[in-house]
Amino acid sequence: MSSVRNNFAARTVRVKAPGKINVSFRVGPLRPDGYHAVASLYLAVSLYEEVTATSTSASGVTVSIKGCSTAEAQRSGIPLDERNLAVRAALLMADVTERTTGVHLEITKRVPVSGGMGGGSADAAATLLACDALWDSGLAREELAHLAVELGADVPFALLGGAAVGLGVGELLTPALAPSPLHWVLVQADFGLSTPEVFGQLDRLRLASGAEPLDPGQVDPAVLQALRAGDAQALAPVLGNDLQPASLALAPQLAEVLDHGKQHGALASIVSGSGPTIALLAADEASASGLAQRLVAAGSSAQAVHGPVHGAKLVSDLVH
Ligand code: ATP
């Protein structure tokens, strides 16, 4: 109706982007810029955020969370202003493409907020791609990847997807071969952990122990080999996350979740990124689904996923 009245044809673009787990996460010393050098093996998993971007005749970027009132979103810790990574991504795209019309973003959240799975980064990556389509920006994928780096260390990977080694602060990506899916169970917590606080805790633990953090170097070749072979049994003993002791120090109850997963049949368990989500590695799809069922029956919030999966991807593009 409004399209007739205002001679403005709204267009709606829907994009989905995956959450990630860090199969291996080595953290080096604090750099002078306040970030840590890392060597990460990112794996995109089948838990997707979705961003629906609708062009508006008025300028500016607005955002809402599907199924959530403003108050509920704020209570869940999701900012609905320029602090929201999706809003920042749209503003950046508007700036680069010199847009004067606006966009409304509706985010469907599935990745746990402050869960260590890069949900906000996935929203940002999905928004970059959505605005690229919405505004026919004609930017090359590499140009979008450059914009992603400006938004955050995990945003380029959410755009790329698959499996990849991330160096620098995680933004220098090299795709890794992972031809067969690996099966995981994610156990979500009913609280979040702040990524900067977890890194800060790691620094304090290292200071207290007198251990000089080493340059993170490269991802353990055994991890790359196991991924290439699609071999969960070989991957299990080489999963590793330097942030795990810091997450456990801040949330000691996670130790029980890690143990619980193994008692219920996981090959290995690890804190995902800065946590508190726990990733349990399963031998195959049937084992993952059985493990998830047993954990749900025992009262956990668990779900089976697989990875690698694709990065940010257009789902639909509609003019109305
Ligand atoms: P990180 O990517 O920093 O490791 P995370 O994966 O643990 O973080 P996210 O859910 O991505 O957790 O969000 C971390 C913080 O970023 C939240 O506490 C929130 O304040 C802010 N944030 C900004 N944009 C978003 C968004 N679109 N969705 C959720 N949180 C967001």
Side-chain angles (χ1 to χ4, degrees):
M1 247 172 21
S2 64
S3 60
V4 173
R5 218 173 31 239
N6 303 331
N7 197 22
F8 170 77
R11 185 169 169 188
T12 296
V13 173
R14 203 147 61 89
V15 173
K16 64 182 199 171
K20 56 82 188 168
I21 56 181
N22 303 83
V23 171
S24 176
F25 200 43
R26 289 179 168 169
V27 181
L30 189 63
R31 308 191 316 189
D33 64 4
Y35 292 96
H36 292 77
V38 304
S40 165
L41 193 294
Y42 286 110
L43 186 71
V45 294
S46 56
L47 184 63
Y48 301 97
E49 296 281 271
E50 226 169 80
V51 172
T52 302
T54 302
S55 53
T56 57
S57 53
S59 64
V61 178
T62 52
V63 67
S64 59
I65 308 298
K66 191 163 186 191
C68 251
S69 68
T70 304
E72 282 165 343
Q74 279 160 352
R75 263 201 303 280
S76 317
I78 308 168
L80 296 176
D81 53 22
E82 293 79 35
R83 288 168 302 163
N84 191 300
L85 271 178
V87 173
R88 287 181 43 210
L91 289 171
L92 185 60
M93 280 297 284
D95 191 31
V96 168
T97 59
E98 297 178 348
R99 276 275 143 182
T100 49
T101 52
V103 63
H104 177 72
L105 307 169
E106 184 189 57
I107 306 176
T108 304
K109 299 269 340 156
R110 298 195 186 95
V111 174
V113 177
S114 297
M117 290 192 62
S121 300
D123 297 340
T127 303
L128 284 179
L129 204 61
C131 291
D132 171 58
L134 199 64
W135 297 333
D136 296 314
S137 78
L139 294 178
R141 196 81 182 189
E142 294 77 56
E143 291 171 294
L144 288 180
H146 282 299
L147 297 180
V149 174
E150 289 187 35
L151 293 164
D154 289 342
V155 184
F157 178 71
L159 201 57
L160 178 71
V165 172
L167 301 179
V169 293
E171 85 289 12
L172 304 173
L173 296 173
T174 309
L177 282 178
S180 320
L182 288 154
H183 297 273
W184 306 81
V185 172
L186 300 174
V187 185
Q188 293 189 17
D190 55 6
F191 60 93
L193 280 175
S194 144
T195 304
E197 266 178 43
V198 176
F199 274 97
Q201 180 67 25
L202 177 68
D203 292 337
R204 283 190 292 278
L205 288 176
R206 283 176 166 173
L207 198 65
S209 72
E212 273 297 315
L214 299 170
D215 182 278
Q218 294 291 326
V219 168
D220 181 353
V223 171
L224 297 173
Q225 172 94 42
L227 282 173
R228 249 195 323 269
D231 186 343
Q233 302 284 349
L235 186 60
V238 290
L239 291 183
N241 180 0
D242 283 354
L243 283 181
Q244 187 159 308
S247 309
L248 290 178
L250 292 171
Q253 66 272 42
L254 293 178
E256 216 171 287
V257 186
L258 290 165
D259 283 349
H260 209 210
K262 284 198 268 187
Q263 283 158 17
H264 280 80
L267 296 178
S269 55
I270 191 171
V271 169
S272 171
S274 52
T277 307
I278 302 292
L280 306 173
L281 178 61
D284 51 33
E285 189 174 4
S287 313
S289 121
L291 175 57
Q293 279 169 21
R294 287 191 294 283
L295 289 170
V296 168
S300 297
S301 171
Q303 73 190 110
V305 296
H306 62 272
V309 297
H310 60 76
K313 183 166 136 182
L314 197 72
V315 179
S316 65
D317 183 347
L318 206 77
V319 178
H320 47 101

